[in-house]
């Protein structure tokens, strides 16, 4: 009786694990496309549930199921880490820092006033009020390299965070799944060196630290899900 029920237990274990992990991936994709933090929170809850299921004693039978789980978890690590990092940043900063056009944030040059060029107001030609980098109704410029409402030069830092985050999570999750977690230190070092010159302001440092930690934790959790299930 025990031997006949063993395949059923293994089937239920891996099926429930795959379904919950896939559900987390679906909500992560929705959060990525629609930019809604509610979907990111649901995806995080589903990932936590998958980790709890994986912590149960594994009944074996992981030849095909383990490969499928690894593929789904890797996709979840890459896609879901971005919304998770944005959710963490929103909770930490309450959207107090204006966003740039290229995935970064807008900061000033430390408060030093800048005199606009003749014929320009707030970084926009006087005769072209509908220019792409014109300030919005709140007075925050949409483009980079413009003059803010208080005469400070506004520029965008931490550009390209979306693509960098995708590559970062892919490398971290792949390194853990391949049994080489030491590569995480290399990834963090490369990112830190590449961003070092952009961390002059407190806003940039805060966003860099929170976003990087949230992204790494998410990728590590997705990779750990596979490792725990297989052991």
């Amino acid at each position: 009786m025990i031997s006949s029920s063993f395949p059923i237990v293994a089937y239920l274990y891996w099926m429930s694990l795959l379904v919950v992990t896939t559900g987390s991936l679906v909500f992560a994709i929705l959060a990525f496309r629609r930019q809604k933090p509610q979907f990111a929170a649901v995806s995080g809850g589903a990932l936590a549930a998958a980790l709890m299921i994986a912590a149960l004693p594994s009944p074996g039978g992981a030849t095909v199921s383990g490969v499928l789980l690894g593929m789904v978890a890797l996709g979840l690590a890459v896609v879901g880490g971005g919304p998770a990092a944005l959710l963490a940043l929103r909770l930490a900063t309450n959207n107090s820092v204006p966003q740039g056009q290229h995935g970064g944030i807008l900061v000033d040059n430390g408060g030093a006033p800048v005199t606009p060029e003749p014929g320009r107001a707030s970084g926009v030609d006087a005769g072209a009020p509908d220019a792409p980098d014109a300030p919005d109704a709140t007075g925050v410029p949409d483009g980079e390299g413009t003059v803010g409402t208080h005469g400070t030069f506004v520029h965008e830092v931490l550009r390209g965070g979306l693509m960098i985050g995708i590559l970062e999570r892919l490398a971290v999750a792949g390194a853990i799944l391949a049994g080489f977690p030491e590569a995480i230190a290399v990834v963090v070092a490369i990112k830190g060196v590449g961003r070092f010159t952009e961390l002059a302001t407190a806003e940039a440092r805060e966003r860099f630290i929170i976003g990087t930690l949230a992204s790494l934790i998410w990728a590590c959790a997705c990779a750990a899900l596979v490792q725990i299930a297989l052991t």
Side-chain angles (χ1 to χ4, degrees):
M1 182 67 180
I2 297 178
S3 60
S4 62
S5 63
F6 181 79
I8 299 177
V9 174
Y11 174 80
L12 292 176
Y13 174 85
W14 288 107
M15 182 57 64
S16 59
L17 192 56
L18 284 170
V19 168
V20 175
T21 307
T22 303
S24 179
L25 176 59
V26 170
F27 278 101
I29 294 174
L30 290 175
F32 183 82
R33 293 179 61 87
R34 300 186 181 182
Q35 300 296 317
K36 291 187 177 181
Q38 297 88 345
F39 291 138
V42 174
S43 178
L47 176 59
L51 286 169
M52 294 178 63
I53 296 174
L56 298 174
S58 177
T63 304
V64 177
S65 301
V67 175
L68 292 176
L69 180 63
M71 295 173 61
V72 175
L74 186 60
L76 178 60
V78 173
V79 178
L86 290 177
L87 177 60
L89 287 169
R90 176 172 294 189
L91 294 175
T93 64
N94 197 24
N95 289 334
S96 58
V97 182
Q99 304 294 313
Q101 290 181 327
H102 307 285
I105 57 173
L106 297 177
V107 298
D108 58 47
N109 63 341
V114 175
T115 304
E117 299 177 3
R120 296 179 65 86
S122 298
V124 183
D125 289 335
D130 296 328
D133 59 342
D136 58 19
T138 62
V140 178
D142 294 328
E144 62 168 336
T146 58
V147 180
T149 55
H150 300 288
T152 56
F153 187 79
V154 177
H155 63 286
E156 184 176 354
V157 297
L158 303 179
R159 295 159 54 103
L162 175 61
M163 184 54 63
I164 293 175
I166 290 176
L167 296 175
E168 171 191 24
R169 292 186 295 274
L170 179 61
V172 169
I176 295 176
L177 292 176
F180 188 56
E182 294 82 2
I184 299 177
V186 179
V187 174
V188 175
I190 293 175
K191 184 177 182 180
V193 171
R195 291 298 201 189
F196 179 76
T197 58
E198 300 181 81
L199 304 179
T201 62
E203 297 89 349
R205 290 192 297 270
E206 181 183 35
R207 185 177 182 86
F208 177 81
I209 293 173
I210 295 175
T212 299
L213 288 178
S215 180
L216 290 176
I217 291 173
W218 182 273
C220 290
C222 292
L225 170 64
V226 181
Q227 297 283 19
I228 295 173
L230 293 178
T231 56

